[in-house]
Amino acid sequence: MCFFALASGCAFSHVFVRSLCLYLDPEWASYKLGIFICLNCSGIHRNLPQISRVKSLRLDFWENDLIEFMKQHGNLCAKAKYQAKVPPYYYIPQSCDCLVLREQWIRAKYEREEFVATRVCQDPCSAGSHEGFLWKRGRESRQFQKRRFLLSAREGVMKYYTKEVSPKAIISIENLNAMFQTEKIQHAHGLQITYKTDGQTRNLFVYHESGKEIVDWFNAIRAARYYYLRTTFPTVPEPELIPRITRNYIKEGYMEKTGPKQKEAFKVRWFCLDSQDRNLMYLKNPLDAFAQGQVFIGRMDEGYEVRAGLPQGVRVKKRKPAITVVTPMREFVFICENEREQREWIDALNGVIAQPLTG
């Protein structure tokens, strides 16, 4: 087994075996589970003393028996045990993901032992069925109210109800997406659900008081999406299918935009770039139900391009960095808050322009 070179009776030496760990250069370890962890995860493990105890690899004293325990275990050993049956649709968070995703992943593995070999896995159709209440932001009132949601992978729909017996909306799983938006919704368990209706993207903003329940909802949506994709495109390889289950916007934030004549006053709008649909959407407010408009981003050989700066002949009073998005129909002009935002938007847009069109 691969393991860190250890100095008996003292802190760990700085000899790391990359294949042993989930993160590069971890500086913490759970000596109860026998795994090495990053700083972000160490805080979560510290709050679970019944299943995990943490020490610093550099600062804490390591007794000989703990060192021997770490030698006999390690991340590969723990992964073989606690991640033996992770379903293909289950979202495995990265270090950059929000706290509720990372915490519930750790709890699911080590506290609830949901993926050990002895567990019976649900099929995607069953796992993609979920029912319960979520707090949903009202489209007009902008207040969060409790609404009943029902997800059925077998029927291929998600529904939600107000006080009526009939559903307020019936959403096809074909057009369904979900992403955590804790900062935008200003709730630690905030989830944004999107779907297509009449050619527009409809945004639902929801949360649940329970971190486990909101992550269960997220993974149930992923299971339903996986079931739909797997049955609709049976020959598509799994590595190509998984990224299409759900997705985050690759870039969001405020920019200013002008009108088609490029002489209208610039107005501040919230922009979202969806790489899968190749759409740059703009909204008056980040939590609006619908976008005010959108710009399709095609390929360079189709006449799409993004440039730093303003088009020739266009003048603005503000001394801020600008972006020009060139399409076959017209040029769109946006003003960014600073140069860093300008670079990030240009990189994100160029990434979409460079990717091939998919059916």
Side-chain angles (χ1 to χ4, degrees):
M1 175 186 293
C2 294
F3 53 86
F4 287 134
L6 308 176
S8 179
C10 61
F12 285 81
S13 67
H14 190 56
V15 179
F16 293 106
V17 181
R18 299 290 190 257
S19 61
L20 185 65
C21 307
L22 298 177
Y23 304 98
L24 295 179
D25 294 351
E27 296 190 0
W28 293 83
S30 167
Y31 60 88
K32 197 168 182 179
L33 292 169
I35 59 172
F36 301 93
I37 55 180
C38 69
L39 176 63
N40 288 338
C41 290
S42 70
I44 300 172
H45 281 261
R46 197 181 295 277
N47 291 328
L48 304 172
Q50 70 278 17
I51 61 169
S52 184
R53 298 289 178 89
V54 299
K55 277 179 178 282
S56 168
L57 301 184
R58 300 175 184 276
L59 304 177
D60 290 328
F61 180 85
W62 284 80
E63 295 81 0
N64 288 337
D65 59 334
L66 292 183
I67 292 174
E68 289 303 316
F69 180 79
M70 296 299 293
K71 284 183 179 182
Q72 297 303 316
H73 293 78
N75 293 55
L76 295 180
C77 181
K79 185 175 182 179
K81 176 182 178 181
Y82 293 106
Q83 294 177 234
K85 287 187 176 180
V86 180
Y89 55 80
Y90 197 97
Y91 183 76
I92 299 177
Q94 305 300 309
S95 58
C96 59
D97 279 310
C98 61
L99 178 61
V100 67
L101 270 173
R102 291 184 285 112
E103 179 181 351
Q104 290 306 314
W105 167 241
I106 289 170
R107 287 184 179 274
K109 284 192 294 182
Y110 305 123
E111 186 178 53
R112 299 191 292 270
E113 297 189 355
E114 293 182 11
F115 315 119
V116 295
T118 54
R119 281 291 186 103
V120 177
C121 294
Q122 278 189 309
D123 64 275
C125 186
S126 300
S129 299
H130 205 72
E131 185 175 1
F133 287 90
L134 294 170
W135 289 93
K136 174 190 168 293
R137 189 176 190 269
R139 176 180 171 183
E140 303 298 335
S141 69
R142 301 182 180 181
Q143 302 296 314
F144 282 91
Q145 296 178 310
K146 213 169 190 178
R147 296 289 182 252
R148 185 167 72 92
F149 281 76
L150 189 152
L151 175 70
S152 173
R154 190 174 301 280
E155 295 179 21
V157 296
M158 184 179 195
K159 308 173 186 177
Y160 74 89
Y161 300 78
T162 53
K163 296 179 180 180
E164 298 86 2
V165 176
S166 300
K168 178 73 173 178
I170 301 176
I171 305 161
S172 170
I173 288 174
E174 177 185 1
N175 301 315
L176 186 62
N177 186 42
M179 66 190 90
F180 275 91
Q181 293 277 18
T182 57
E183 292 185 13
K184 190 159 73 172
I185 298 174
Q186 296 186 335
H187 194 284
H189 305 158
L191 188 70
Q192 180 176 349
I193 297 171
T194 67
Y195 62 96
K196 293 291 180 62
T197 175
D198 298 327
Q200 289 184 289
T201 298
R202 171 72 161 102
N203 302 308
L204 303 179
F205 300 98
V206 301
Y207 72 85
H208 196 281
E209 299 92 336
S210 164
K212 179 182 182 301
E213 182 64 14
I214 198 67
V215 173
D216 284 350
W217 267 107
F218 179 60
N219 280 305
I221 290 171
R222 285 182 59 85
R225 283 279 302 160
Y226 177 80
Y227 179 75
Y228 161 76
L229 291 168
R230 189 75 285 170
T231 53
T232 307
F233 309 103
T235 61
V236 174
E238 197 93 326
E240 295 180 23
L241 206 67
I242 299 301
R244 301 186 70 84
I245 296 178
T246 59
R247 63 196 184 276
N248 295 332
Y249 293 139
I250 62 171
K251 174 71 178 167
E252 289 188 89
Y254 285 108
M255 290 193 290
E256 297 178 48
K257 71 173 292 293
T258 185
K261 296 180 181 179
Q262 300 175 355
K263 295 180 179 180
E264 299 88 343
F266 279 85
K267 296 180 180 180
V268 177
R269 294 292 182 260
W270 180 264
F271 286 81
C272 308
L273 181 57
D274 185 341
S275 62
Q276 185 167 303
D277 284 349
R278 308 184 73 106
N279 278 330
L280 177 64
M281 297 171 284
Y282 53 91
L283 305 86
K284 189 173 182 180
N285 299 295
L287 299 182
D288 283 348
F290 290 98
Q292 289 187 324
Q294 60 188 32
V295 182
F296 178 78
I297 308 296
R299 300 194 316 265
M300 184 171 289
D301 60 7
E302 296 174 321
Y304 292 85
E305 185 183 353
V306 57
R307 301 170 183 163
L310 299 166
Q312 189 174 4
V314 176
R315 299 287 183 268
V316 296
K317 294 180 180 179
K318 298 180 180 180
R319 293 186 177 180
K320 290 184 177 181
I323 293 173
T324 301
V325 176
V326 180
T327 76
M329 301 297 294
R330 56 169 282 200
E331 294 180 343
F332 294 84
V333 181
F334 309 114
I335 292 179
C336 303
E337 186 61 30
N338 51 54
E339 291 183 356
R340 180 181 60 83
E341 281 289 305
Q342 181 197 41
R343 287 194 303 271
E344 289 181 2
W345 276 112
I346 290 174
D347 290 344
L349 288 162
N350 275 328
V352 176
I353 289 171
Q355 71 186 24
L357 289 171
T358 56

